Amino acid sequence: MIDKAKNLNDAKAKMENALAYLDEALARIRAGKANPRILDGVKVEYYGSMTPLSNVANITTPDAKSIVIQPWEKSMLRDIERAILASEVGITPENNGEIIRLGIPPLTEERRRQLSKQAKQECEDAKIGVRNARRDAIEALKKAIKDGMPEDVEKDAEAEVQKIHDKFIKMVDDALAAKDKEIMTV
């Protein structure tokens, strides 16, 4: 017989994973302010293997409109520059021989709308993940009835799954609202 608590914990863990993925995805959407996390997806070839940029350089934001990348080895400047150009960051790096500077351009109204739309899509994907976790949990509970779980226990567990689902959907909506505000703030 399926344990009710284990089923609820599994569903909650899947929903938390969807929320964590959403947090990562929203961090990569730049909103006109310098944020080192927009470089999280950039990988650099370092001694034959693809390595995250943060593992080969120091990344700082001296002000709200620029990001400074200081490689630990000067020989990495070209590779880092190439990796940034090849990535989806969309910013041309400036190399002065010691550091790489990324100037964050101000966003146009059209670009803000595109970013807002992208954020909404990421949130919708997270909601789908949360809904799938709820569906899987409810299906497991329905199968548990056949294995001998009392129906009233199953219905109570279903209600708990729904409460957890509603809480996570609200968290996704709150994350979207915060990101949307950040994007649309000039």
Side-chain angles (χ1 to χ4, degrees), residues 7 15 46 55-56 78 93 100 102-103 117 134 136 156 159:
N7 192 11
M15 291 178 192
Y46 186 63
N55 290 1
V56 297
R78 285 266 176 245
I100 295 174
L102 299 176
K117 194 173 181 182
R134 176 189 61 182
D136 293 346
D156 291 345

Side-chain angles (χ1 to χ4, degrees), residues 10-171:
D10 289 348
K12 195 170 184 177
K14 287 178 184 176
M15 291 178 192
E16 286 170 352
N17 287 342
L19 205 61
Y21 173 80
L22 173 68
D23 185 44
E24 283 295 313
L26 290 180
R28 288 194 183 112
I29 297 175
R30 65 182 176 93
K33 294 183 190 79
N35 182 352
R37 288 187 69 188
I38 65 172
L39 298 172
D40 282 354
V42 178
K43 301 234 187 283
V44 181
E45 188 170 330
Y46 186 63
Y47 292 110
S49 66
M50 296 309 280
T51 309
L53 180 59
S54 59
N55 290 1
V56 297
N58 190 18
I59 304 169
T60 58
T61 53
D63 56 58
K65 294 291 178 193
S66 64
I67 297 174
V68 172
I69 303 163
Q70 186 166 17
W72 294 323
E73 298 175 22
K74 278 190 181 180
S75 61
M76 292 297 299
L77 277 170
R78 285 266 176 245
D79 293 334
I80 291 172
E81 206 170 12
R82 254 186 255 118
I84 292 171
L85 287 170
S87 72
E88 296 176 5
V89 174
I91 302 171
T92 306
E94 300 168 22
N95 177 353
N96 72 1
E98 302 251 336
I99 60 170
I100 295 174
R101 184 177 301 275
L102 299 176
I104 308 294
L107 297 174
T108 62
E109 187 64 31
E110 181 181 336
R111 182 68 177 139
R112 287 182 195 279
R113 285 198 183 104
Q114 285 176 341
L115 292 174
S116 178
K117 194 173 181 182
Q118 183 182 350
K120 283 183 179 92
Q121 183 58 50
E122 294 292 351
C123 287
E124 192 53 44
D125 291 347
K127 284 181 180 181
I128 289 170
V130 170
R131 289 183 198 121
N132 286 343
R134 176 189 61 182
R135 185 196 65 222
D136 293 346
I138 290 174
E139 283 176 5
L141 288 169
K142 289 196 186 294
K143 286 179 186 172
I145 289 178
K146 294 175 187 165
D147 293 340
M149 180 185 274
E151 275 190 44
D152 59 335
V153 172
E154 185 269 340
K155 289 294 179 194
D156 291 345
E158 241 183 79
E160 283 182 56
V161 168
Q162 186 62 42
K163 281 181 189 172
I164 294 169
H165 165 269
D166 294 344
K167 182 178 94 173
F168 276 92
I169 292 292
K170 182 173 178 1
M171 290 165 80

